[in-house]
Amino acid sequence: MSPARTPRYTVPGLGVDEGRQVIDLLTLRLHALNDLALTLKHIHWNVVGPHFIAVHEMLDPQTAAVRDMADAAAERISALGGEPNGTPGALVRERTWDDYSVGRADAIAHLGALDLVYTGIIEDHREAVEKAGEIDPVTEDLLIEHLRGLEQFQWFVRAHLESSSGALSNAGADTEEAAAEAASPKRAAAKRTPAKKTALPAPAKKTAAKKTAAKKTAKKAVKKTTASRRTTR
């Protein structure tokens, strides 16, 4: 992302160079929030499966809240003397991440991938909080307020991925596709289904013993027949 131009004025108590640094921080946060709002809507439209309605309806309030966060970030940029750019072209040109990569899929699989999206934006927001705190406590406070909401939303998502023992089904996945696959109900069902037992062939010794017994029985039968014949004669 190219640095913002130095504003001609900024808020009282900050120099214009400091104002520009904070504008730079907020610009990438604005892109991240706009991208997240679009991603949430994309998932909202593309979830399927038995958890469809629960996840479909859970995501709309999150989308609305994230759009409010983006609005607050943009207005703070303006207050600092900057120029917020919310166009799709600016977002794609200046972001440091790729598009969300999961299309139409099971609702829980989508949540596995969305968990990684939230992790990324929360980590970047926390980094921005640390930097803003060194320059502008007001912007720091704004980003902390965002984090309260974002971390709560990730909690909602993770509640669908967590087992009774507290493990996340997508733990260890480092891509959206891998996280979606790990969280997929089909994979979870496969883990719970025990493998079918394959019948083992009878041990060789037992087979040999059976053959020996059969031979003895045959001999006895021959003796009985012979004895019978001799008696008859």
Side-chain angles (χ1 to χ4, degrees), residues 44-59:
H44 170 84
W45 294 323
N46 282 287
V47 292
V48 297
H51 298 91
F52 161 77
I53 197 65
V55 174
H56 181 78
E57 292 188 349
M58 179 183 75
L59 295 180

Side-chain angles (χ1 to χ4, degrees), residues 58 62 108 111-112 114-120 122-123 150-164 166-173 183:
M58 179 183 75
Q62 293 189 20
I108 303 303
L111 293 185
L114 180 57
D115 178 43
L116 265 63
V117 174
Y118 269 122
T119 293
I122 288 169
E123 288 176 346
L150 293 170
E151 290 176 0
Q152 184 187 53
F153 296 155
Q154 187 177 37
W155 169 46
F156 292 169
V157 169
R158 285 181 165 179
H160 293 78
L161 307 173
E162 187 177 2
S163 69
S164 58
L168 295 174
S169 59
N170 64 341

Side-chain angles (χ1 to χ4, degrees), residues 120-143:
I121 192 169
I122 288 169
E123 288 176 346
D124 289 347
H125 247 63
R126 282 184 169 272
E127 185 178 340
V129 164
E130 292 182 10
K131 292 178 180 178
E134 298 172 358
I135 308 170
D136 178 25
V138 177
T139 298
E140 177 190 32
D141 182 65
L142 173 67
L143 294 175

Side-chain angles (χ1 to χ4, degrees), residues 12-187:
L14 291 184
V16 289
D17 285 336
E18 293 173 317
R20 180 187 54 76
Q21 293 177 54
V22 179
I23 291 168
D24 282 342
L25 285 175
L26 285 172
T27 296
L28 202 52
R29 295 300 84 220
L30 173 62
H31 291 332
L33 291 166
N34 279 333
D35 186 86
L36 177 60
L38 291 170
T39 297
L40 288 168
K41 264 302 182 185
H42 167 83
I43 298 171
H44 170 84
W45 294 323
N46 282 287
V47 292
V48 297
H51 298 91
F52 161 77
I53 197 65
V55 174
H56 181 78
E57 292 188 349
M58 179 183 75
L59 295 180
D60 261 346
Q62 293 189 20
T63 304
V66 170
R67 283 174 174 166
D68 285 344
M69 294 177 193
D71 188 53
E75 290 180 352
R76 183 63 184 163
I77 291 172
S78 292
L80 288 161
E83 181 181 342
N85 193 340
T87 65
L91 192 165
V92 173
R93 183 174 62 251
E94 298 178 3
R95 69 184 178 181
T96 57
W97 57 90
D98 295 325
D99 273 342
Y100 183 74
S101 55
V102 181
R104 191 171 182 82
D106 182 89
I108 303 303
H110 265 299
L111 293 185
L114 180 57
D115 178 43
L116 265 63
V117 174
Y118 269 122
T119 293
I121 192 169
I122 288 169
E123 288 176 346
D124 289 347
H125 247 63
R126 282 184 169 272
E127 185 178 340
V129 164
E130 292 182 10
K131 292 178 180 178
E134 298 172 358
I135 308 170
D136 178 25
V138 177
T139 298
E140 177 190 32
D141 182 65
L142 173 67
L143 294 175
I144 288 172
E145 187 61 31
H146 289 176
L147 279 169
R148 289 192 184 98
L150 293 170
E151 290 176 0
Q152 184 187 53
F153 296 155
Q154 187 177 37
W155 169 46
F156 292 169
V157 169
R158 285 181 165 179
H160 293 78
L161 307 173
E162 187 177 2
S163 69
S164 58
S165 64
L168 295 174
S169 59
N170 64 341
D174 56 3
T175 67
E176 291 163 0
E177 294 93 338
E181 175 65 22
S184 171
K186 289 183 180 179
R187 178 163 178 176

